[in-house]
Amino acid sequence: MTNAPDRFALLQRLLHWLMAVCIFVMLFIGVGMVSTVAPKYLPLILIHKTLGVALLFLVLMRLALRLYYGAPPLPADLPRATKVGAALSHQALYALMIVMPLLGLGMLWAAAYPVVLYGGIQIPALLPQSDGVHTLLWNAHFYLGFAFFALVLLHLAAGLFHALIRRDGVFEKMALFRLPGRTAP
Amino acid sequence: MKQSGKLPRSSLGSLVLIAAVLGGGAAAFAYSAGWLSPGRLTPGRMIEALAPPGGAPPGYRRNHAKGICFTGVFEANGNGVELSRAKAFAQGRYPALGRFNLGTADPNAVDATVRVRGLGLMISPAEGEEWRTAMINPPVFAVSTPQAFHDLLLAAGSKNPEAMKAFVGANPEFAGFASWAKTAPWTGSYAEEPYNGLNSFIFTNASGTEHAVRWSLLPSAKPIPVSKAELDERGPDFLEQEITERVRTAGPQRWTMLVTVADPSDPTADPSKAWPQGRRTVEVGTLVVQRIEPERDGPCRDINFDPTVLPPGMRVSDDPFPAARSSVYRKSYDLRTAEAKDYPRNKAAKP
Ligand code: HEM
Ligand code: HEM
């Protein structure tokens, strides 16, 4: 265990927090834009599409880094069930980060809307118009969006639990800075 | 640090903090989603207000529900280039797809009972250059704001005879539309109607100069006034039958597209206010309608003529309607595509 890193690589940590902020923004803009008819609807949906596609690129980078660097081990005294839960929830987060943007894009393609991002970047359609496909992808984007938010909250709660209550160094693995007076066990 | 099964007392504060973070996050999310603001005008509430007394017929557009598809070309004469760098204005012939329609939420409405006639149009010069617009025959819109449109729908649908009076009192701009509705002659054909975009947009030309504009389609066919009483005698679908027959026997039907350029002092944020006579206009091309197809199996059915689908060289202005329309049309589209089994195509679906 001596050569196992005690925290994620700097690039991994930077990406984690950048994406965390962006995903929060995406979820809030998502539910906000679909519930307004005000002029801000247009800039909000433009940000939603642009940031969502950007996140797709970021998560691919992040997965590559994860495969290359791996992850530091969890504390040995963590109950087995907790470890399994952590692994599963992290896999689900990765899956959602990949799937949500793809569903968003697919839903627009299947509705024959041109997909134009900030700066006029145009994404060509990879699906033909289809009522059935549009509805399927719309439902998936909708329900998984809420599941995503729930999972993000759970993840946040677990992180804070490690940071404030267990104080077992798990939070510090992803923290951007070493907290004063704390060392990984 | 050694963890035992029990939490030390100092953890209580931390637990409260965690609960507060989660609760705060969830509350902020609920606020963004509008769940804590029942007064917010959402696309869902607008759709509810549009619904006819018996509820919206599933599978159809939530407004302008009755219509018929057309295909043809837009022949740009090149004059529009001075106003906008959109490809649709560069001299040439571009595919056009559209829909003649009636301003009603009832897909089975009797044609002679609907005052407002409309036209949805999509011009596709090239990938990334698509231009969608949805236009109607009155010269001004009924109200100044999307909120007022919602109020109008509620008042018009209300059983209370005072509701409309109260609405008109609070929204005097309605008079312009009301006087058009009362006095403008009816015609017996979609081909004899003008269609006005009403909303203001900003055009940008190749050198970056911007102009606020509105656009209209003016018919080549001469409008022949027909009394309402006479239209009542015609069949419930006479408009669809007439346009089908006219294109089949008389050939393609044409409209001149006219762009009106605002003076800096003209109101761009209010489609109920016409701009003064004498504003500069530019004829930018001709819409040629070549073929009519029933909506059920036609190419316009599954298109959302969202007025914010604009090519480079056009963008929205301070007019609040295009954004509101985009949000509501999207919701209408989500609903009707999800209900497609209630309005099935006759042809087997394309794979
Ligand atoms: C991390 C990525 C994403 C997340 C977390 C996300 C989340 C959401 C959420 C929460 C909603 C609101 C659902 C509702 O309440 O109705 C939404 C709606 C929407 N999203 Fe996303 N989204 C993502 C990516 C994308 C992308 C990449 C696009 C398109 C390029 C997109 C397009 C849309 C559209 C068009 C809607 C409105 C759907 C409708 O009601 O018609 N999303 N998204
Ligand atoms: C806030 C105001 C408005 C609301 C809430 C509203 C609502 C709607 C809805 C729900 C649809 C059906 C969309 C679909 O399912 O594809 C529709 C279609 C249409 N609207 Fe509006 N509308 C508004 C303002 C206007 C204005 C200002 C115009 C004209 C300048 C207009 C012209 C049309 C036309 C022509 C169609 C039919 C398009 C087609 O054939 O698909 N609307 N409207």
Short mmCIF file of all heavy atoms in Angstrom, two decimals, chain B residues 264-317:
data_model
loop_
_atom_site.label_atom_id
_atom_site.label_comp_id
_atom_site.label_asym_id
_atom_site.label_seq_id
_atom_site.Cartn_x
_atom_site.Cartn_y
_atom_site.Cartn_z
N PRO B 264 -35.72 53.96 -35.45
CA PRO B 264 -35.25 53.73 -34.09
C PRO B 264 -36.33 54.00 -33.03
O PRO B 264 -36.32 53.42 -31.95
CB PRO B 264 -34.09 54.72 -33.95
CG PRO B 264 -33.61 54.94 -35.33
CD PRO B 264 -34.82 54.83 -36.22
N SER B 265 -37.29 54.87 -33.34
CA SER B 265 -38.30 55.21 -32.32
C SER B 265 -39.48 54.23 -32.32
O SER B 265 -40.36 54.34 -31.47
CB SER B 265 -38.81 56.62 -32.61
OG SER B 265 -39.37 56.65 -33.91
N ASP B 266 -39.52 53.29 -33.25
CA ASP B 266 -40.69 52.40 -33.35
C ASP B 266 -40.71 51.36 -32.23
O ASP B 266 -39.66 50.88 -31.81
CB ASP B 266 -40.70 51.69 -34.71
CG ASP B 266 -40.98 52.66 -35.84
OD1 ASP B 266 -41.53 53.75 -35.57
OD2 ASP B 266 -40.63 52.34 -36.99
N PRO B 267 -41.93 51.01 -31.75
CA PRO B 267 -42.00 50.02 -30.67
C PRO B 267 -41.73 48.62 -31.23
O PRO B 267 -42.46 48.11 -32.07
CB PRO B 267 -43.47 50.13 -30.22
CG PRO B 267 -44.20 50.64 -31.42
CD PRO B 267 -43.24 51.50 -32.19
N THR B 268 -40.65 48.01 -30.74
CA THR B 268 -40.33 46.65 -31.20
C THR B 268 -40.80 45.61 -30.20
O THR B 268 -40.91 44.44 -30.53
CB THR B 268 -38.82 46.48 -31.40
OG1 THR B 268 -38.15 46.96 -30.23
CG2 THR B 268 -38.33 47.27 -32.60
N ALA B 269 -41.08 46.03 -28.97
CA ALA B 269 -41.40 45.06 -27.92
C ALA B 269 -42.88 44.76 -27.84
O ALA B 269 -43.30 43.97 -26.99
CB ALA B 269 -40.90 45.58 -26.57
N ASP B 270 -43.68 45.36 -28.72
CA ASP B 270 -45.13 45.23 -28.57
C ASP B 270 -45.82 44.94 -29.91
O ASP B 270 -46.07 45.85 -30.71
CB ASP B 270 -45.68 46.53 -27.97
CG ASP B 270 -47.16 46.45 -27.69
OD1 ASP B 270 -47.80 45.47 -28.14
OD2 ASP B 270 -47.68 47.37 -27.04
N PRO B 271 -46.13 43.67 -30.18
CA PRO B 271 -46.71 43.31 -31.48
C PRO B 271 -48.15 43.79 -31.66
O PRO B 271 -48.72 43.63 -32.75
CB PRO B 271 -46.64 41.78 -31.49
CG PRO B 271 -46.64 41.40 -30.06
CD PRO B 271 -45.93 42.51 -29.31
N SER B 272 -48.74 44.39 -30.62
CA SER B 272 -50.10 44.93 -30.80
C SER B 272 -50.04 46.34 -31.38
O SER B 272 -51.08 46.92 -31.69
CB SER B 272 -50.85 44.94 -29.46
OG SER B 272 -50.36 45.98 -28.63
N LYS B 273 -48.84 46.90 -31.49
CA LYS B 273 -48.68 48.24 -32.05
C LYS B 273 -48.08 48.17 -33.45
O LYS B 273 -46.93 47.76 -33.61
CB LYS B 273 -47.77 49.08 -31.15
CG LYS B 273 -48.28 49.20 -29.73
CD LYS B 273 -48.16 50.57 -29.18
CE LYS B 273 -48.96 50.73 -27.91
NZ LYS B 273 -49.28 49.46 -27.20
N ALA B 274 -48.86 48.59 -34.43
CA ALA B 274 -48.34 48.65 -35.80
C ALA B 274 -47.33 49.78 -35.88
O ALA B 274 -47.42 50.75 -35.14
CB ALA B 274 -49.48 48.89 -36.77
N TRP B 275 -46.36 49.64 -36.77
CA TRP B 275 -45.42 50.75 -37.00
C TRP B 275 -46.10 51.73 -37.96
O TRP B 275 -46.95 51.33 -38.77
CB TRP B 275 -44.11 50.23 -37.59
CG TRP B 275 -43.34 49.39 -36.62
CD1 TRP B 275 -43.48 49.38 -35.25
CD2 TRP B 275 -42.32 48.45 -36.92
NE1 TRP B 275 -42.61 48.49 -34.68
CE2 TRP B 275 -41.87 47.89 -35.69
CE3 TRP B 275 -41.71 48.00 -38.10
CZ2 TRP B 275 -40.87 46.93 -35.61
CZ3 TRP B 275 -40.72 47.04 -38.02
CH2 TRP B 275 -40.30 46.52 -36.79
N PRO B 276 -45.73 53.02 -37.87
CA PRO B 276 -46.39 54.02 -38.71
C PRO B 276 -46.26 53.68 -40.21
O PRO B 276 -45.28 53.04 -40.62
CB PRO B 276 -45.62 55.30 -38.39
CG PRO B 276 -45.01 55.07 -37.04
CD PRO B 276 -44.73 53.61 -36.96
N GLN B 277 -47.26 54.11 -40.95
CA GLN B 277 -47.21 53.95 -42.41
C GLN B 277 -45.96 54.61 -42.95
O GLN B 277 -45.43 55.54 -42.35
CB GLN B 277 -48.43 54.65 -43.04
CG GLN B 277 -49.74 53.92 -42.80
CD GLN B 277 -49.77 52.56 -43.47
OE1 GLN B 277 -49.36 52.44 -44.62
NE2 GLN B 277 -50.23 51.55 -42.76
N GLY B 278 -45.48 54.13 -44.09
CA GLY B 278 -44.37 54.80 -44.75
C GLY B 278 -43.00 54.32 -44.32
O GLY B 278 -41.98 54.86 -44.75
N ARG B 279 -42.94 53.31 -43.46
CA ARG B 279 -41.64 52.76 -43.11
C ARG B 279 -41.04 52.07 -44.33
O ARG B 279 -41.77 51.55 -45.18
CB ARG B 279 -41.78 51.74 -41.97
CG ARG B 279 -42.08 52.37 -40.65
CD ARG B 279 -40.86 53.09 -40.10
NE ARG B 279 -41.20 53.80 -38.87
CZ ARG B 279 -41.53 55.10 -38.82
NH1 ARG B 279 -41.58 55.82 -39.93
NH2 ARG B 279 -41.80 55.68 -37.66
N ARG B 280 -39.71 52.05 -44.37
CA ARG B 280 -39.05 51.43 -45.51
C ARG B 280 -39.40 49.94 -45.56
O ARG B 280 -39.39 49.26 -44.54
CB ARG B 280 -37.53 51.57 -45.36
CG ARG B 280 -36.76 51.14 -46.59
CD ARG B 280 -35.39 51.79 -46.57
NE ARG B 280 -34.49 51.11 -45.64
CZ ARG B 280 -33.66 50.13 -46.01
NH1 ARG B 280 -33.64 49.71 -47.26
NH2 ARG B 280 -32.85 49.58 -45.13
N THR B 281 -39.73 49.46 -46.74
CA THR B 281 -39.99 48.03 -46.90
C THR B 281 -39.08 47.48 -48.00
O THR B 281 -38.71 48.21 -48.92
CB THR B 281 -41.45 47.75 -47.30
OG1 THR B 281 -41.73 48.47 -48.50
CG2 THR B 281 -42.42 48.18 -46.21
N VAL B 282 -38.73 46.22 -47.87
CA VAL B 282 -37.90 45.57 -48.88
C VAL B 282 -38.57 44.26 -49.27
O VAL B 282 -38.87 43.42 -48.41
CB VAL B 282 -36.47 45.28 -48.32
CG1 VAL B 282 -35.60 44.63 -49.39
CG2 VAL B 282 -35.83 46.55 -47.79
N GLU B 283 -38.82 44.09 -50.56
CA GLU B 283 -39.33 42.82 -51.06
C GLU B 283 -38.14 41.88 -51.18
O GLU B 283 -37.22 42.14 -51.94
CB GLU B 283 -39.97 43.00 -52.44
CG GLU B 283 -41.34 43.60 -52.36
CD GLU B 283 -42.02 43.66 -53.74
OE1 GLU B 283 -41.52 43.01 -54.69
OE2 GLU B 283 -43.03 44.37 -53.84
N VAL B 284 -38.17 40.78 -50.42
CA VAL B 284 -36.99 39.93 -50.40
C VAL B 284 -37.14 38.65 -51.21
O VAL B 284 -36.16 37.95 -51.46
CB VAL B 284 -36.59 39.57 -48.94
CG1 VAL B 284 -36.19 40.83 -48.18
CG2 VAL B 284 -37.71 38.85 -48.23
N GLY B 285 -38.36 38.34 -51.61
CA GLY B 285 -38.52 37.13 -52.41
C GLY B 285 -39.97 36.69 -52.49
O GLY B 285 -40.87 37.41 -52.07
N THR B 286 -40.17 35.49 -53.02
CA THR B 286 -41.51 34.97 -53.24
C THR B 286 -41.63 33.56 -52.69
O THR B 286 -40.77 32.71 -52.95
CB THR B 286 -41.79 34.91 -54.76
OG1 THR B 286 -41.53 36.20 -55.32
CG2 THR B 286 -43.23 34.53 -55.04
N LEU B 287 -42.69 33.35 -51.91
CA LEU B 287 -43.00 31.99 -51.47
C LEU B 287 -43.89 31.36 -52.53
O LEU B 287 -44.93 31.92 -52.88
CB LEU B 287 -43.73 32.01 -50.12
CG LEU B 287 -44.28 30.64 -49.69
CD1 LEU B 287 -43.16 29.65 -49.39
CD2 LEU B 287 -45.19 30.79 -48.46
N VAL B 288 -43.47 30.21 -53.04
CA VAL B 288 -44.26 29.50 -54.04
C VAL B 288 -44.76 28.19 -53.43
O VAL B 288 -43.96 27.33 -53.08
CB VAL B 288 -43.41 29.19 -55.30
CG1 VAL B 288 -44.30 28.60 -56.40
CG2 VAL B 288 -42.69 30.44 -55.78
N VAL B 289 -46.07 28.08 -53.29
CA VAL B 289 -46.66 26.87 -52.71
C VAL B 289 -47.04 25.95 -53.86
O VAL B 289 -47.89 26.29 -54.69
CB VAL B 289 -47.89 27.23 -51.85
CG1 VAL B 289 -48.67 25.98 -51.48
CG2 VAL B 289 -47.45 27.98 -50.61
N GLN B 290 -46.38 24.80 -53.93
CA GLN B 290 -46.54 23.94 -55.12
C GLN B 290 -47.40 22.72 -54.89
O GLN B 290 -47.92 22.14 -55.83
CB GLN B 290 -45.14 23.47 -55.58
CG GLN B 290 -44.26 24.61 -56.03
CD GLN B 290 -42.81 24.20 -56.16
OE1 GLN B 290 -42.30 23.43 -55.35
NE2 GLN B 290 -42.14 24.72 -57.18
N ARG B 291 -47.50 22.29 -53.63
CA ARG B 291 -48.16 21.02 -53.41
C ARG B 291 -48.83 21.04 -52.04
O ARG B 291 -48.27 21.52 -51.06
CB ARG B 291 -47.07 19.94 -53.42
CG ARG B 291 -47.54 18.53 -53.43
CD ARG B 291 -46.29 17.64 -53.46
NE ARG B 291 -46.50 16.49 -52.58
CZ ARG B 291 -47.00 15.34 -53.00
NH1 ARG B 291 -47.29 15.17 -54.28
NH2 ARG B 291 -47.20 14.35 -52.16
N ILE B 292 -50.07 20.53 -51.98
CA ILE B 292 -50.82 20.49 -50.73
C ILE B 292 -50.94 19.03 -50.29
O ILE B 292 -51.19 18.16 -51.13
CB ILE B 292 -52.24 21.07 -50.94
CG1 ILE B 292 -52.16 22.49 -51.50
CG2 ILE B 292 -53.04 21.02 -49.64
CD1 ILE B 292 -51.67 23.54 -50.55
N GLU B 293 -50.76 18.78 -49.01
CA GLU B 293 -50.93 17.42 -48.50
C GLU B 293 -51.71 17.46 -47.20
O GLU B 293 -51.47 18.33 -46.37
CB GLU B 293 -49.56 16.78 -48.21
CG GLU B 293 -48.78 16.42 -49.45
CD GLU B 293 -47.39 15.91 -49.08
OE1 GLU B 293 -47.28 14.78 -48.57
OE2 GLU B 293 -46.43 16.65 -49.30
N PRO B 294 -52.62 16.49 -47.00
CA PRO B 294 -53.35 16.45 -45.73
C PRO B 294 -52.37 16.36 -44.57
O PRO B 294 -51.31 15.75 -44.70
CB PRO B 294 -54.19 15.17 -45.84
CG PRO B 294 -54.25 14.85 -47.29
CD PRO B 294 -53.00 15.41 -47.90
N GLU B 295 -52.77 16.96 -43.45
CA GLU B 295 -51.84 17.01 -42.32
C GLU B 295 -51.48 15.63 -41.79
O GLU B 295 -50.33 15.36 -41.44
CB GLU B 295 -52.45 17.85 -41.20
CG GLU B 295 -51.54 17.91 -39.97
CD GLU B 295 -52.18 18.60 -38.79
OE1 GLU B 295 -53.06 18.02 -38.13
OE2 GLU B 295 -51.78 19.74 -38.53
N ARG B 296 -52.48 14.76 -41.72
CA ARG B 296 -52.28 13.46 -41.05
C ARG B 296 -51.02 12.75 -41.53
O ARG B 296 -50.23 12.28 -40.72
CB ARG B 296 -53.51 12.57 -41.25
CG ARG B 296 -53.37 11.21 -40.59
CD ARG B 296 -54.63 10.38 -40.77
NE ARG B 296 -55.68 10.78 -39.85
CZ ARG B 296 -55.93 10.15 -38.70
NH1 ARG B 296 -55.19 9.13 -38.31
NH2 ARG B 296 -56.91 10.55 -37.92
N ASP B 297 -50.83 12.71 -42.84
CA ASP B 297 -49.64 12.03 -43.37
C ASP B 297 -48.63 13.01 -43.94
O ASP B 297 -47.66 12.61 -44.59
CB ASP B 297 -50.05 11.03 -44.44
CG ASP B 297 -50.84 9.88 -43.86
OD1 ASP B 297 -50.49 9.46 -42.74
OD2 ASP B 297 -51.81 9.42 -44.50
N GLY B 298 -48.88 14.30 -43.74
CA GLY B 298 -48.05 15.30 -44.39
C GLY B 298 -46.78 15.63 -43.62
O GLY B 298 -46.64 15.29 -42.44
N PRO B 299 -45.84 16.30 -44.31
CA PRO B 299 -44.52 16.58 -43.72
C PRO B 299 -44.54 17.68 -42.66
O PRO B 299 -43.55 17.85 -41.96
CB PRO B 299 -43.69 17.01 -44.93
CG PRO B 299 -44.68 17.58 -45.89
CD PRO B 299 -45.95 16.79 -45.70
N CYS B 300 -45.63 18.43 -42.55
CA CYS B 300 -45.65 19.55 -41.59
C CYS B 300 -46.10 19.10 -40.21
O CYS B 300 -45.93 19.82 -39.24
CB CYS B 300 -46.56 20.67 -42.08
SG CYS B 300 -48.33 20.27 -42.00
N ARG B 301 -46.70 17.90 -40.14
CA ARG B 301 -47.34 17.53 -38.89
C ARG B 301 -46.36 17.53 -37.72
O ARG B 301 -46.65 18.05 -36.66
CB ARG B 301 -47.98 16.15 -39.01
CG ARG B 301 -48.90 15.86 -37.84
CD ARG B 301 -49.42 14.45 -37.83
NE ARG B 301 -48.51 13.58 -37.10
CZ ARG B 301 -48.86 12.35 -36.69
NH1 ARG B 301 -50.04 11.87 -36.99
NH2 ARG B 301 -48.00 11.63 -36.04
N ASP B 302 -45.21 16.94 -37.92
CA ASP B 302 -44.28 16.76 -36.82
C ASP B 302 -43.20 17.83 -36.77
O ASP B 302 -42.13 17.63 -36.19
CB ASP B 302 -43.65 15.36 -36.88
CG ASP B 302 -44.71 14.29 -36.68
OD1 ASP B 302 -45.69 14.56 -35.98
OD2 ASP B 302 -44.56 13.19 -37.25
N ILE B 303 -43.48 18.96 -37.37
CA ILE B 303 -42.56 20.09 -37.29
C ILE B 303 -43.14 21.11 -36.32
O ILE B 303 -44.34 21.38 -36.31
CB ILE B 303 -42.38 20.75 -38.68
CG1 ILE B 303 -41.70 19.78 -39.65
CG2 ILE B 303 -41.57 22.05 -38.57
CD1 ILE B 303 -40.29 19.38 -39.25
N ASN B 304 -42.27 21.66 -35.50
CA ASN B 304 -42.65 22.74 -34.60
C ASN B 304 -42.17 24.04 -35.27
O ASN B 304 -40.97 24.27 -35.38
CB ASN B 304 -41.95 22.51 -33.25
CG ASN B 304 -42.15 23.66 -32.29
OD1 ASN B 304 -42.63 24.72 -32.67
ND2 ASN B 304 -41.76 23.44 -31.05
N PHE B 305 -43.13 24.88 -35.70
CA PHE B 305 -42.75 26.13 -36.36
C PHE B 305 -42.40 27.17 -35.29
O PHE B 305 -43.04 28.21 -35.17
CB PHE B 305 -43.85 26.59 -37.32
CG PHE B 305 -44.05 25.65 -38.47
CD1 PHE B 305 -45.04 24.68 -38.45
CD2 PHE B 305 -43.20 25.70 -39.57
CE1 PHE B 305 -45.19 23.77 -39.50
CE2 PHE B 305 -43.35 24.80 -40.63
CZ PHE B 305 -44.35 23.83 -40.59
N ASP B 306 -41.38 26.83 -34.54
CA ASP B 306 -40.89 27.65 -33.43
C ASP B 306 -40.25 28.92 -34.00
O ASP B 306 -39.26 28.83 -34.73
CB ASP B 306 -39.87 26.81 -32.66
CG ASP B 306 -39.19 27.56 -31.53
OD1 ASP B 306 -39.17 28.80 -31.55
OD2 ASP B 306 -38.66 26.89 -30.63
N PRO B 307 -40.80 30.09 -33.65
CA PRO B 307 -40.28 31.33 -34.28
C PRO B 307 -38.90 31.75 -33.80
O PRO B 307 -38.41 32.79 -34.22
CB PRO B 307 -41.33 32.37 -33.90
CG PRO B 307 -41.95 31.86 -32.64
CD PRO B 307 -41.91 30.36 -32.73
N THR B 308 -38.27 30.96 -32.94
CA THR B 308 -36.90 31.31 -32.54
C THR B 308 -35.87 30.42 -33.24
O THR B 308 -34.68 30.51 -32.94
CB THR B 308 -36.69 31.21 -31.01
OG1 THR B 308 -36.85 29.85 -30.61
CG2 THR B 308 -37.70 32.06 -30.27
N VAL B 309 -36.34 29.57 -34.15
CA VAL B 309 -35.38 28.83 -34.98
C VAL B 309 -35.01 29.77 -36.14
O VAL B 309 -35.76 29.92 -37.10
CB VAL B 309 -35.96 27.51 -35.50
CG1 VAL B 309 -35.00 26.84 -36.48
CG2 VAL B 309 -36.27 26.58 -34.33
N LEU B 310 -33.88 30.43 -35.99
CA LEU B 310 -33.48 31.50 -36.90
C LEU B 310 -32.07 31.24 -37.42
O LEU B 310 -31.23 30.72 -36.69
CB LEU B 310 -33.48 32.85 -36.16
CG LEU B 310 -34.84 33.29 -35.57
CD1 LEU B 310 -34.64 34.45 -34.59
CD2 LEU B 310 -35.78 33.71 -36.68
N PRO B 311 -31.81 31.61 -38.66
CA PRO B 311 -30.45 31.40 -39.20
C PRO B 311 -29.51 32.51 -38.72
O PRO B 311 -29.97 33.54 -38.23
CB PRO B 311 -30.68 31.50 -40.71
CG PRO B 311 -31.85 32.41 -40.85
CD PRO B 311 -32.72 32.17 -39.65
N PRO B 312 -28.20 32.31 -38.87
CA PRO B 312 -27.27 33.40 -38.56
C PRO B 312 -27.65 34.62 -39.40
O PRO B 312 -27.96 34.48 -40.59
CB PRO B 312 -25.90 32.85 -39.00
CG PRO B 312 -26.06 31.37 -39.02
CD PRO B 312 -27.50 31.10 -39.35
N GLY B 313 -27.66 35.80 -38.77
CA GLY B 313 -28.10 37.00 -39.48
C GLY B 313 -29.49 37.44 -39.03
O GLY B 313 -29.98 38.49 -39.45
N MET B 314 -30.13 36.63 -38.20
CA MET B 314 -31.42 37.00 -37.60
C MET B 314 -31.37 36.60 -36.13
O MET B 314 -30.85 35.55 -35.79
CB MET B 314 -32.57 36.21 -38.23
CG MET B 314 -32.77 36.40 -39.69
SD MET B 314 -34.28 35.51 -40.19
CE MET B 314 -34.12 35.65 -41.96
N ARG B 315 -31.94 37.45 -35.28
CA ARG B 315 -32.08 37.06 -33.87
C ARG B 315 -33.28 37.76 -33.27
O ARG B 315 -33.85 38.66 -33.88
CB ARG B 315 -30.80 37.36 -33.09
CG ARG B 315 -30.41 38.82 -33.07
CD ARG B 315 -29.09 39.01 -32.31
NE ARG B 315 -28.58 40.36 -32.49
CZ ARG B 315 -29.01 41.42 -31.80
NH1 ARG B 315 -29.95 41.30 -30.89
NH2 ARG B 315 -28.49 42.61 -32.04
N VAL B 316 -33.65 37.33 -32.07
CA VAL B 316 -34.82 37.93 -31.44
C VAL B 316 -34.48 39.35 -30.99
O VAL B 316 -33.32 39.69 -30.77
CB VAL B 316 -35.32 37.10 -30.24
CG1 VAL B 316 -35.84 35.76 -30.69
CG2 VAL B 316 -34.24 36.95 -29.19
N SER B 317 -35.52 40.18 -30.84
CA SER B 317 -35.36 41.54 -30.36
C SER B 317 -35.82 41.60 -28.90
O SER B 317 -35.88 40.58 -28.23
CB SER B 317 -36.20 42.48 -31.22
OG SER B 317 -37.57 42.20 -30.99
#
